[in-house]
Amino acid sequence: MRNAVADAATPPRLAAVNGNGVAGAATAMFVVGTLAGVSGLIKDYPLYGGQLVRYLVASAILLAVTRALGLRFVRLTWREGLLLGGLALLGLALFNVCVVESARASGPALVGTVLGTVPLGLALLEGRPAPRLLAGAAVVVAGATLATGLGSGNLTGLLWALGAWIGEISFSMLAIPLLPKLGAIRVSAYSTALAVPMLAAIGLAQEGPGMFRVPTAAESLGFGYLAVVVTVVAFFLWYSSLPRLGPGRAGLFAGLIPVGAIVTGLVLGVATPSAYDLLGAALVIAGILVGLSASRARRPLGGGRGRRDA
């Protein structure tokens, strides 16, 4: 489904890459799942320092792309500035803090399971979701929960995981009003650039000056993949697809994150999927198909009053 708002501020050739949004959303979330495959390359680097490196490199690339495409700087209203600041703070900086701290407190399974419910949350927040969309989201949640190992943990880990859930929801919902005016590239560039000083402040508070050191060759490869593929490419694809699909339908593809992790582990030979993993992946795919079959009202996201600034 295409509409004028979906293409706002996005060059036609780049907009065409995502078609109706399905391919872009699926690729974005699958790619995010592959970060598990490179985690071994950066496991010895300070956690918060690593996030700072990732977003610093990604923002530099995105701002360079923005300039190369001739996308001029857009002055925001105070409300839009608050939305962008909230997106950077909640959807990027604090999201990463909550994921890190939840994994430290309870292991990665708990936060993975909580984040697996994001499709249902986005479907409910869309307004009046079709019953088939809710059913599909519920199946995706079940599949993602199986694929992440039925997480268990303590109260501290759960609270951090809930914070990560809020951040993941904010990553999409706070961007929707901005996309008609800014487009996918500028929303990605501005939000990642704003997240850099936030992550620097958090990292200094948590890890001190030790968060800064020159990465090894292997770590540089890992950070390069995280910055270019998992951040620049995935953010652009997600924000290009979100207005086309709406948060409910787009959210279904969040279930592909653990699927991406499973496939990456298998391809790299570092993990063999269990029967639960395969069943979870099958449920995710089935839920996506059910949810996408639901009808959606043809209404523009974000109010439909944004400018077309190519």
Side-chain angles (χ1 to χ4, degrees):
M1 182 182 300
R2 290 179 68 92
N3 55 52
V5 173
D7 290 328
T10 304
R13 283 179 294 179
L14 291 178
V17 170
N18 297 294
N20 62 3
V22 170
T27 303
M29 292 298 102
F30 184 89
V31 161
V32 170
T34 66
L35 65 85
V38 301
S39 60
L41 295 175
I42 58 174
K43 61 182 177 63
D44 295 325
Y45 200 90
L47 283 172
Y48 289 108
Q51 292 298 324
L52 176 61
V53 171
R54 170 190 173 184
Y55 283 101
L56 181 62
V57 174
S59 63
I61 294 172
L62 284 163
L63 289 171
V65 170
T66 301
R67 183 177 179 84
L69 292 174
L71 299 177
R72 63 183 179 83
F73 179 78
V74 176
R75 188 180 299 276
L76 301 177
T77 66
W78 67 269
R79 177 179 176 273
E80 292 165 341
L82 288 176
L83 287 171
L84 186 62
L87 170 59
L89 179 63
L90 297 176
L92 300 183
L94 291 184
F95 168 78
N96 284 284
V97 171
C98 290
V99 169
V100 168
E101 296 302 330
S102 179
R104 281 176 171 172
S106 301
L110 174 61
V111 66
T113 300
V114 171
L115 290 177
T117 66
V118 165
L120 192 56
L122 288 174
L124 291 171
L125 287 172
E126 189 171 24
R128 296 180 179 177
R132 192 173 296 181
L133 176 61
L134 285 177
V139 175
V140 169
V141 167
T145 301
L146 275 178
T148 51
L150 297 170
S152 60
N154 53 41
L155 178 60
T156 301
L158 177 60
L159 292 175
W160 281 116
L162 291 174
W165 186 90
I166 293 172
E168 184 69 8
I169 293 291
S170 301
F171 180 72
S172 295
M173 298 305 295
L174 293 181
I176 287 174
L178 298 170
L179 286 167
K181 184 174 183 177
L182 296 179
I185 295 176
R186 279 180 290 209
V187 168
S188 301
Y190 295 173
S191 61
T192 52
L194 282 176
V196 169
M198 298 176 184
L199 288 167
I202 294 170
L204 285 172
Q206 292 292 324
E207 297 171 337
M211 68 178 289
F212 298 107
R213 72 167 173 81
V214 178
T216 64
E219 289 169 343
S220 296
L221 288 175
F223 285 129
Y225 183 85
L226 288 176
V228 176
V229 179
V230 180
T231 307
V232 173
V233 174
F235 280 27
F236 167 70
L237 290 175
W238 181 252
Y239 284 143
S240 296
S241 302
L242 186 60
R244 293 176 169 85
L245 295 173
R249 285 185 169 190
L252 295 169
F253 293 95
L256 289 177
I257 293 177
V259 177
I262 292 169
V263 172
T264 305
L266 179 62
V267 171
L268 296 179
V270 297
T272 301
S274 66
Y276 287 114
D277 293 332
L278 297 176
L279 177 58
L283 283 174
V284 166
I285 294 171
I288 290 172
L289 294 175
V290 170
L292 289 178
S293 68
S295 60
R296 175 181 174 230
R298 291 178 176 269
R299 52 185 173 82
L301 296 175
R305 294 177 295 184
R307 299 196 304 263
R308 289 179 58 91
D309 291 324

